[in-house]
Amino acid sequence: MVEFRQLNAPLHRASTVLFPDTETFINRQGLLFDGFSYGLYGTPTIRTLEDQVAEIEGGVRSIAVPSGLAAVTHPLLALCVTGDHVLIADCAYGPTRSFAKETLRKLGVEVEFFPSDAASIKERLRPGTRAVVLESPGYYTMEMQEIGAIAAEAHAVGALVLIDNSWGFGASSMFAHGVDICCTALSKYASGAGDLCMGSITVADEALFRTLKTFLANLGTGVSSDEAYLVMRGLSSMQVRVREHADRALELARWLSVHPAVSRVLSPPLDTDRYHERYTRFFRNGNGLLSVLLHETGIEPLRAMIDGLEHFRIGASWGSPHSLVSITEPAASREIDQWERGRYLVRLHVGLEPFELLKEDLERGFERLTLKR
């Protein structure tokens, strides 16, 4: 009989895990890190995904969690205690900011924000600084920090460095720049379909992995094998998809940068972007995300532009084949960065629809700006 073999890792669904004997069952807690003791803590499918993610991130171990937000919040909960000090880039993802300001502060952790394009945070560090949270580029505004320099400064006072690497997953080696924990939303390009939520926590230190894994197990945090399987399917084509998204986004950024309706394009892969030099040092390639500031700042003209778009659909996420548009007022959520009140920013995710249709869609949107003025 021919042995059955398959291209993809098999899907293992389980809550209950069976043990070969009583001794193994009694000592099952020792299987938390490298074996299987209960479905919540990992199955062969989930472990395979975690191994693949760790390899992509350039780390040693990875832990799958239910969302990209959980990938950031759970390490902070695991590592910080009352009296600790945490520094966070001012461009951080909105829910990350809310968690820090509402949950960490409630637990007695002091939270402080620093400029999103910081080259140094030395003056803000303290002996009690436990963690520094980076997000580079920023979620909407695309600022970039000096990752390596900041990591060195943080380590000098004993602080760990976390980065939300959702933008740079598969395009960076953050551990080479001193980052301790890479937090990634696998819901984006890793999944590639826009139909599930998952995140990953990746580290390059075994002891840190065990600390985080133990905390997550105690918290009851886990993911389903079915969704882990779907993410693995996405990973198999991710590099090719992201390259196409990136090429399209760069072409669109160049077109927008000379469009009369556009004041400024925010896209680090664009060679005229103010963070392009940092981008070239920290990332191998871009993706489908870019943001634009328009000359027209009134909310009603912007609504007319966005609500009438056909191919750019309104949505907060990115990473699927679909083109998306979202809008934010940066000044409303910043504590350090200087943004003009009432100035809105439009973020685009350039999908895989016919490119000329996307340009035409935006051109018609810009015409509505003028008509509504």
Side-chain angles (χ1 to χ4, degrees), residues 115-135:
S116 299
D117 62 353
S120 170
I121 58 168
K122 191 172 183 179
E123 299 304 316
R124 299 175 184 270
L125 290 163
R126 311 174 190 173
T129 303
R130 179 60 173 147
V132 176
V133 181
L134 307 177
E135 184 170 318

Side-chain angles (χ1 to χ4, degrees), residues 31 45 68 115 137 201 204 226 234 298:
L31 301 172
T45 306
I201 304 165
D226 290 81

Side-chain angles (χ1 to χ4, degrees), residues 227-263:
E227 293 195 331
Y229 182 83
L230 291 175
V231 174
M232 281 194 289
R233 289 207 309 185
L235 287 179
S236 65
S237 63
M238 185 181 74
Q239 286 188 343
V240 176
R241 287 185 287 104
V242 173
R243 188 180 305 119
E244 181 65 17
H245 282 287
D247 288 346
R248 289 160 160 259
L250 185 56
E251 184 176 348
L252 191 68
R254 289 170 176 156
W255 177 71
L256 289 168
S257 66
V258 296
H259 195 284
V262 176
S263 171

Side-chain angles (χ1 to χ4, degrees), residues 123-195:
E123 299 304 316
R124 299 175 184 270
L125 290 163
R126 311 174 190 173
T129 303
R130 179 60 173 147
V132 176
V133 181
L134 307 177
E135 184 170 318
S136 198
Y139 193 66
Y140 272 93
T141 45
M142 304 294 171
E143 301 97 337
M144 296 192 67
Q145 302 96 52
E146 274 289 357
I147 299 167
I150 289 174
E153 292 171 349
H155 292 159
V157 300
L160 292 173
V161 178
L162 292 75
I163 189 166
D164 185 331
N165 198 40
S166 301
W167 192 98
F169 181 64
S172 62
S173 301
M174 287 298 156
F175 297 109
H177 300 290
V179 168
D180 299 293
I181 305 174
C182 274
C183 313
T184 295
L186 299 178
S187 320
K188 314 303 185 188
Y189 289 114
S191 164
D195 58 0

